[in-house]
PDB file of all heavy atoms in Angstrom:
ATOM      1  N   ARG P 418       1.583   7.774  -1.546  1.00  0.00           N
ATOM      2  CA  ARG P 418       2.081   6.440  -1.219  1.00  0.00           C
ATOM      3  C   ARG P 418       3.177   6.513  -0.152  1.00  0.00           C
ATOM      4  O   ARG P 418       4.051   5.648  -0.079  1.00  0.00           O
ATOM      5  CB  ARG P 418       2.579   5.734  -2.475  1.00  0.00           C
ATOM      6  CG  ARG P 418       1.470   5.495  -3.503  1.00  0.00           C
ATOM      7  CD  ARG P 418       1.937   4.610  -4.648  1.00  0.00           C
ATOM      8  NE  ARG P 418       2.277   3.271  -4.194  1.00  0.00           N
ATOM      9  CZ  ARG P 418       1.399   2.298  -3.974  1.00  0.00           C
ATOM     10  NH1 ARG P 418       0.101   2.522  -4.128  1.00  0.00           N
ATOM     11  NH2 ARG P 418       1.801   1.098  -3.589  1.00  0.00           N
ATOM     12  N   SER P 419       3.100   7.576   0.653  1.00  0.00           N
ATOM     13  CA  SER P 419       4.079   7.778   1.724  1.00  0.00           C
ATOM     14  C   SER P 419       3.362   7.822   3.062  1.00  0.00           C
ATOM     15  O   SER P 419       2.285   8.401   3.181  1.00  0.00           O
ATOM     16  CB  SER P 419       4.850   9.083   1.498  1.00  0.00           C
ATOM     17  OG  SER P 419       5.548   9.043   0.268  1.00  0.00           O
ATOM     18  N   LEU P 420       3.975   7.214   4.074  1.00  0.00           N
ATOM     19  CA  LEU P 420       3.356   7.068   5.396  1.00  0.00           C
ATOM     20  C   LEU P 420       4.297   7.584   6.469  1.00  0.00           C
ATOM     21  O   LEU P 420       5.448   7.142   6.571  1.00  0.00           O
ATOM     22  CB  LEU P 420       3.037   5.593   5.656  1.00  0.00           C
ATOM     23  CG  LEU P 420       2.349   5.250   6.974  1.00  0.00           C
ATOM     24  CD1 LEU P 420       0.903   5.736   6.982  1.00  0.00           C
ATOM     25  CD2 LEU P 420       2.394   3.728   7.216  1.00  0.00           C
ATOM     26  N   MET P 421       3.825   8.530   7.273  1.00  0.00           N
ATOM     27  CA  MET P 421       4.583   9.013   8.424  1.00  0.00           C
ATOM     28  C   MET P 421       4.145   8.246   9.657  1.00  0.00           C
ATOM     29  O   MET P 421       2.956   8.214   9.997  1.00  0.00           O
ATOM     30  CB  MET P 421       4.338  10.513   8.616  1.00  0.00           C
ATOM     31  CG  MET P 421       5.067  11.121   9.812  1.00  0.00           C
ATOM     32  SD  MET P 421       6.861  11.187   9.597  1.00  0.00           S
ATOM     33  CE  MET P 421       7.409  11.057  11.320  1.00  0.00           C
ATOM     34  N   VAL P 422       5.104   7.622  10.334  1.00  0.00           N
ATOM     35  CA  VAL P 422       4.821   6.785  11.499  1.00  0.00           C
ATOM     36  C   VAL P 422       5.467   7.397  12.736  1.00  0.00           C
ATOM     37  O   VAL P 422       6.665   7.697  12.735  1.00  0.00           O
ATOM     38  CB  VAL P 422       5.366   5.356  11.307  1.00  0.00           C
ATOM     39  CG1 VAL P 422       4.977   4.468  12.496  1.00  0.00           C
ATOM     40  CG2 VAL P 422       4.877   4.752   9.997  1.00  0.00           C
ATOM     41  N   GLY P 423       4.674   7.600  13.793  1.00  0.00           N
ATOM     42  CA  GLY P 423       5.232   8.150  15.019  1.00  0.00           C
ATOM     43  C   GLY P 423       4.388   7.829  16.227  1.00  0.00           C
ATOM     44  O   GLY P 423       3.253   7.363  16.098  1.00  0.00           O
ATOM     45  N   ASP P 424       4.937   8.098  17.397  1.00  0.00           N
ATOM     46  CA  ASP P 424       4.246   7.758  18.643  1.00  0.00           C
ATOM     47  C   ASP P 424       3.551   8.950  19.278  1.00  0.00           C
ATOM     48  O   ASP P 424       2.978   8.822  20.350  1.00  0.00           O
ATOM     49  CB  ASP P 424       5.247   7.165  19.649  1.00  0.00           C
ATOM     50  CG  ASP P 424       6.288   8.186  20.082  1.00  0.00           C
ATOM     51  OD1 ASP P 424       7.125   8.579  19.256  1.00  0.00           O
ATOM     52  OD2 ASP P 424       6.255   8.610  21.253  1.00  0.00           O
ATOM     53  N   ARG P 425       3.605  10.126  18.627  1.00  0.00           N
ATOM     54  CA  ARG P 425       2.918  11.302  19.144  1.00  0.00           C
ATOM     55  C   ARG P 425       2.063  11.926  18.045  1.00  0.00           C
ATOM     56  O   ARG P 425       2.313  11.719  16.853  1.00  0.00           O
ATOM     57  CB  ARG P 425       3.919  12.336  19.668  1.00  0.00           C
ATOM     58  CG  ARG P 425       4.684  11.867  20.893  1.00  0.00           C
ATOM     59  CD  ARG P 425       5.624  12.957  21.394  1.00  0.00           C
ATOM     60  NE  ARG P 425       6.649  13.260  20.418  1.00  0.00           N
ATOM     61  CZ  ARG P 425       7.382  14.377  20.434  1.00  0.00           C
ATOM     62  NH1 ARG P 425       7.155  15.303  21.353  1.00  0.00           N
ATOM     63  NH2 ARG P 425       8.317  14.571  19.529  1.00  0.00           N
ATOM     64  N   ASP P 426       1.099  12.713  18.466  1.00  0.00           N
ATOM     65  CA  ASP P 426       0.215  13.342  17.487  1.00  0.00           C
ATOM     66  C   ASP P 426       0.973  14.249  16.530  1.00  0.00           C
ATOM     67  O   ASP P 426       0.656  14.326  15.337  1.00  0.00           O
ATOM     68  CB  ASP P 426      -0.921  14.105  18.187  1.00  0.00           C
ATOM     69  CG  ASP P 426      -0.438  15.115  19.217  1.00  0.00           C
ATOM     70  OD1 ASP P 426       0.782  15.199  19.488  1.00  0.00           O
ATOM     71  OD2 ASP P 426      -1.303  15.830  19.774  1.00  0.00           O
ATOM     72  N   ILE P 427       2.022  14.932  17.021  1.00  0.00           N
ATOM     73  CA  ILE P 427       2.749  15.858  16.155  1.00  0.00           C
ATOM     74  C   ILE P 427       3.477  15.141  15.025  1.00  0.00           C
ATOM     75  O   ILE P 427       3.692  15.726  13.955  1.00  0.00           O
ATOM     76  CB  ILE P 427       3.720  16.748  16.942  1.00  0.00           C
ATOM     77  CG1 ILE P 427       4.773  15.924  17.673  1.00  0.00           C
ATOM     78  CG2 ILE P 427       2.969  17.659  17.885  1.00  0.00           C
ATOM     79  CD1 ILE P 427       5.899  16.779  18.270  1.00  0.00           C
ATOM     80  N   ASP P 428       3.859  13.885  15.230  1.00  0.00           N
ATOM     81  CA  ASP P 428       4.488  13.108  14.160  1.00  0.00           C
ATOM     82  C   ASP P 428       3.501  12.898  13.016  1.00  0.00           C
ATOM     83  O   ASP P 428       3.804  13.138  11.846  1.00  0.00           O
ATOM     84  CB  ASP P 428       4.960  11.745  14.681  1.00  0.00           C
ATOM     85  CG  ASP P 428       5.959  11.853  15.808  1.00  0.00           C
ATOM     86  OD1 ASP P 428       6.898  12.661  15.693  1.00  0.00           O
ATOM     87  OD2 ASP P 428       5.801  11.125  16.807  1.00  0.00           O
ATOM     88  N   VAL P 429       2.329  12.434  13.378  1.00  0.00           N
ATOM     89  CA  VAL P 429       1.289  12.163  12.381  1.00  0.00           C
ATOM     90  C   VAL P 429       0.850  13.455  11.704  1.00  0.00           C
ATOM     91  O   VAL P 429       0.681  13.506  10.476  1.00  0.00           O
ATOM     92  CB  VAL P 429       0.092  11.451  13.030  1.00  0.00           C
ATOM     93  CG1 VAL P 429      -1.055  11.303  12.036  1.00  0.00           C
ATOM     94  CG2 VAL P 429       0.514  10.085  13.566  1.00  0.00           C
ATOM     95  N   LEU P 430       0.690  14.514  12.493  1.00  0.00           N
ATOM     96  CA  LEU P 430       0.255  15.789  11.932  1.00  0.00           C
ATOM     97  C   LEU P 430       1.277  16.349  10.947  1.00  0.00           C
ATOM     98  O   LEU P 430       0.907  16.959   9.940  1.00  0.00           O
ATOM     99  CB  LEU P 430      -0.007  16.795  13.049  1.00  0.00           C
ATOM    100  CG  LEU P 430      -1.240  16.503  13.915  1.00  0.00           C
ATOM    101  CD1 LEU P 430      -1.277  17.414  15.130  1.00  0.00           C
ATOM    102  CD2 LEU P 430      -2.524  16.656  13.098  1.00  0.00           C
ATOM    103  N   ALA P 431       2.561  16.130  11.204  1.00  0.00           N
ATOM    104  CA  ALA P 431       3.589  16.561  10.257  1.00  0.00           C
ATOM    105  C   ALA P 431       3.390  15.872   8.916  1.00  0.00           C
ATOM    106  O   ALA P 431       3.491  16.495   7.847  1.00  0.00           O
ATOM    107  CB  ALA P 431       4.984  16.268  10.806  1.00  0.00           C
ATOM    108  N   GLY P 432       3.101  14.563   8.966  1.00  0.00           N
ATOM    109  CA  GLY P 432       2.835  13.831   7.738  1.00  0.00           C
ATOM    110  C   GLY P 432       1.602  14.330   7.017  1.00  0.00           C
ATOM    111  O   GLY P 432       1.614  14.525   5.795  1.00  0.00           O
ATOM    112  N   LEU P 433       0.535  14.541   7.766  1.00  0.00           N
ATOM    113  CA  LEU P 433      -0.702  15.041   7.152  1.00  0.00           C
ATOM    114  C   LEU P 433      -0.502  16.428   6.555  1.00  0.00           C
ATOM    115  O   LEU P 433      -1.004  16.724   5.460  1.00  0.00           O
ATOM    116  CB  LEU P 433      -1.820  15.070   8.193  1.00  0.00           C
ATOM    117  CG  LEU P 433      -2.229  13.720   8.799  1.00  0.00           C
ATOM    118  CD1 LEU P 433      -3.332  13.914   9.828  1.00  0.00           C
ATOM    119  CD2 LEU P 433      -2.672  12.738   7.717  1.00  0.00           C
ATOM    120  N   ASN P 434       0.261  17.264   7.242  1.00  0.00           N
ATOM    121  CA  ASN P 434       0.529  18.611   6.740  1.00  0.00           C
ATOM    122  C   ASN P 434       1.368  18.591   5.467  1.00  0.00           C
ATOM    123  O   ASN P 434       1.353  19.559   4.697  1.00  0.00           O
ATOM    124  CB  ASN P 434       1.232  19.450   7.811  1.00  0.00           C
ATOM    125  CG  ASN P 434       0.314  19.813   8.963  1.00  0.00           C
ATOM    126  OD1 ASN P 434      -0.902  19.798   8.829  1.00  0.00           O
ATOM    127  ND2 ASN P 434       0.889  20.125  10.117  1.00  0.00           N
ATOM    128  N   ALA P 435       2.089  17.497   5.247  1.00  0.00           N
ATOM    129  CA  ALA P 435       2.890  17.346   4.030  1.00  0.00           C
ATOM    130  C   ALA P 435       2.119  16.601   2.939  1.00  0.00           C
ATOM    131  O   ALA P 435       2.686  16.296   1.885  1.00  0.00           O
ATOM    132  CB  ALA P 435       4.189  16.604   4.345  1.00  0.00           C
ATOM    133  N   GLY P 436       0.861  16.299   3.202  1.00  0.00           N
ATOM    134  CA  GLY P 436       0.053  15.604   2.209  1.00  0.00           C
ATOM    135  C   GLY P 436       0.259  14.111   2.167  1.00  0.00           C
ATOM    136  O   GLY P 436      -0.095  13.438   1.189  1.00  0.00           O
TER     137      GLY P 436
END
Side-chain angles (χ1 to χ4, degrees):
R418 297 189 64 81
S419 299
L420 182 71
M421 179 69 209
V422 184
D424 65 292
R425 294 182 296 162
D426 54 355
I427 61 170
D428 301 314
V429 174
L430 290 170
L433 298 179
N434 289 339

